[in-house]
Amino acid sequence: MIETVHVNLPGRAYDVVIGPGLLAEAGTRITPFLRRPKVTIVTEENVAAVHLAALQQGLEETGITSEALVLPAGESTKSWPFLEQTVEWLLAQKVERGDIVIAFGGGVIGDLVGFAAATVRRGVRFVQIPTSLLAQVDSSVGGKTGINSPSGKNLIGAFHQPTLVLADIDLLSTLTERDFLSGYGEVAKYGMLGDSHFFDWLESDGPNLKHLKDVDGAMPEDKIAARVWAVTRSVQMKADIVERDETEQGDRALLNLGHTFCHALEAATGYSDRLLHGEGVAIGCALAFELSARMGLCSQEEPSRVRAHLKEMGMKTDLSDIDGDLPDAETLLALMGQDKKVVDGQLRFILARGIGDAFVSADVPADKVLGVLRDALALR
Ligand code: GLY
């Protein structure tokens, strides 16, 4: 039940391996890339408490020794002080150009460690072992690395592709339901942006992905297979897009479906637990489909279908699902202007002609966006 997606970038090609039991196989899978049997691991405290010993054992079984740096969990780790700590620690470990650094955690760790690897000795190789659903289907693949700036999220970084990604779906079973569903926002996004059949499948099988354990605590084979497929199809779609447009000159922006709304909502909620990234993506996708319908690009059934599926999954779908106050529509629109996807002062939106048929548009009237936001806020 192991799947491999090859990311075919000339000179920087790599595999994303997806399946159960991959931590135990980490040594066997990483050995072909090592020049000496020694690696460094950077992780965070929650992941370390539950999974670090298993990873180190999986490495030791093939004779690979490892040292680990355990950072605090949370978005604030993706910042200058922890980048400095990580880089200095890697240098203190005498990491060489031919060595491998392992990023072991969710999106925060993957982005931070990838960026540290991009800069240490002008670039060392790194392996991503993503532990959250969001990281498995999105942030560990495609080479976007970086940290946040006081001026905004992800504003400092580099494209640095990993050497290998090991997406062990067993690790998803230790996520809270909220974290799992947040990652599911990105999974559903792939269906909405480019594969209506995948969206059909998610409508029928998505609810099964959440509850993996039988009464006796075992994982049923069909549910493991469904989880592997959900991650594999998502990664395949991301790999296809990244191969076409690694540095986001065009098509890669499709991966930002829902993200322009999401980034404004994340800024408005202070990047706090009030709204997790994937929750913002899910609400943002519903709003992007609503905007598309109001611009006459798709029928009104499409946003209704998007919202119905997200609700069925138990996800946040509407602005009314966000606790606490939100600013008015004009302020949210202004927050969208801070988005990295602004080109020549023009906001770029990802719109859709239907589920599975998204496109990039720089031609979205501000009054239409304001209308969608005002109506969504009025329902709170
Ligand atoms: N998460 C969007 C991208 O990798 O381009």
Side-chain angles (χ1 to χ4, degrees):
M1 215 182 287
I2 306 268
E3 298 285 346
T4 300
V5 177
H6 188 62
V7 184
N8 195 14
L9 291 168
R12 297 175 307 292
Y14 56 96
D15 285 340
V16 182
V17 185
I18 300 143
L22 294 178
L23 274 198
E25 295 177 15
T28 319
R29 292 191 177 270
I30 292 173
T31 294
F33 303 100
L34 293 179
R35 299 210 180 127
R36 53 177 176 163
K38 183 178 172 198
V39 295
T40 44
I41 302 168
V42 183
T43 186
E44 48 95 326
E45 56 205 1
N46 294 338
V47 170
V50 188
H51 301 299
L52 182 57
L55 172 59
Q56 291 189 299
Q57 192 184 330
L59 293 165
E60 267 159 33
E61 270 161 23
T62 46
I64 301 171
T65 59
S66 60
E67 293 294 335
L69 170 66
V70 181
L71 297 173
E75 188 72 27
S76 54
T77 300
K78 224 174 102 172
S79 58
W80 286 117
F82 291 102
L83 178 69
E84 181 180 9
Q85 184 183 345
T86 304
V87 166
E88 292 300 336
W89 180 80
L90 291 172
L91 292 173
Q93 294 303 312
K94 302 199 173 9
V95 164
E96 297 177 3
R97 269 275 181 82
D99 287 338
I100 294 273
V101 178
I102 297 179
F104 187 42
V108 166
I109 288 293
D111 286 7
L112 170 83
V113 179
F115 189 37
T119 60
V120 165
R121 300 195 193 284
R122 296 200 178 87
V124 297
R125 295 169 306 155
F126 78 117
V127 167
Q128 291 264 22
I129 306 188
T131 56
S132 68
L133 180 57
L134 189 137
Q136 293 193 354
V137 299
D138 182 27
S139 57
S140 67
V141 180
K144 277 190 182 174
T145 71
I147 57 170
N148 302 326
S149 147
S151 304
K153 260 188 94 169
N154 294 329
L155 292 182
I156 303 148
F159 286 98
H160 186 51
Q161 299 293 340
T163 295
L164 174 72
V165 181
L166 298 178
D168 185 337
I169 59 114
D170 287 344
L171 305 183
L172 304 179
S173 298
T174 56
L175 298 177
T176 63
E177 176 149 312
R178 188 174 179 203
D179 281 332
F180 184 87
L181 285 179
S182 171
Y184 186 84
E186 297 279 2
V187 175
K189 178 196 78 177
Y190 288 107
M192 291 181 223
L193 78 85
D195 186 349
S196 61
H197 296 299
F198 185 48
F199 192 82
D200 294 344
W201 181 80
L202 290 173
E203 283 179 318
S204 59
D205 286 47
N208 275 335
L209 299 172
K210 280 196 293 180
H211 308 292
L212 264 190
K213 300 229 164 106
D214 269 346
V215 228
D216 64 359
M219 289 192 196
E221 292 279 309
D222 59 332
K223 291 192 175 182
I224 296 176
R227 228 174 228 205
V228 170
W229 173 239
V231 175
T232 301
R233 184 62 193 128
S234 300
V235 171
Q236 276 170 347
M237 291 187 68
K238 178 148 189 183
D240 282 351
I241 291 173
V242 168
E243 284 169 12
R244 292 204 297 272
D245 177 23
E246 182 182 5
T247 57
E248 202 169 314
Q249 307 302 312
D251 267 10
R252 187 163 178 164
L254 291 172
L255 296 170
N256 296 318
L257 176 63
H259 282 62
T260 306
F261 286 107
C262 169
H263 290 157
L265 295 170
E266 283 183 298
T269 50
Y271 302 99
S272 69
D273 266 8
R274 278 176 67 200
L275 186 71
L276 304 180
H277 177 69
E279 294 172 338
V281 170
I283 296 174
C285 285
L287 292 171
F289 271 82
E290 181 61 35
L291 178 61
S292 303
R294 290 190 189 197
M295 291 178 68
L297 295 164
C298 66
S299 73
Q300 189 56 49
E301 278 81 65
E302 303 288 277
S304 304
R305 196 175 151 200
V306 166
R307 291 176 65 255
H309 176 55
L310 297 174
K311 272 195 191 307
E312 164 82 14
M313 289 299 293
M315 300 182 67
K316 288 185 169 48
T317 311
D318 299 303
L319 297 189
S320 53
D321 296 326
I322 303 173
D323 292 335
D325 291 338
L326 284 178
D328 61 17
E330 285 72 15
T331 308
L332 287 173
L333 184 68
L335 288 171
M336 287 177 185
Q338 305 293 326
D339 195 281
K340 285 199 302 312
K341 282 87 200 169
V342 178
V343 178
D344 296 334
Q346 192 87 22
L347 263 184
R348 281 192 301 166
F349 272 88
I350 314 306
L351 299 174
R353 298 181 194 92
I355 288 172
D357 189 7
F359 65 99
V360 185
S361 172
D363 192 19
V364 181
D367 64 321
K368 287 267 187 252
V369 182
L370 281 171
V372 167
L373 289 171
R374 280 192 197 113
D375 291 349
L377 287 164
L379 294 173
R380 282 169 59 83

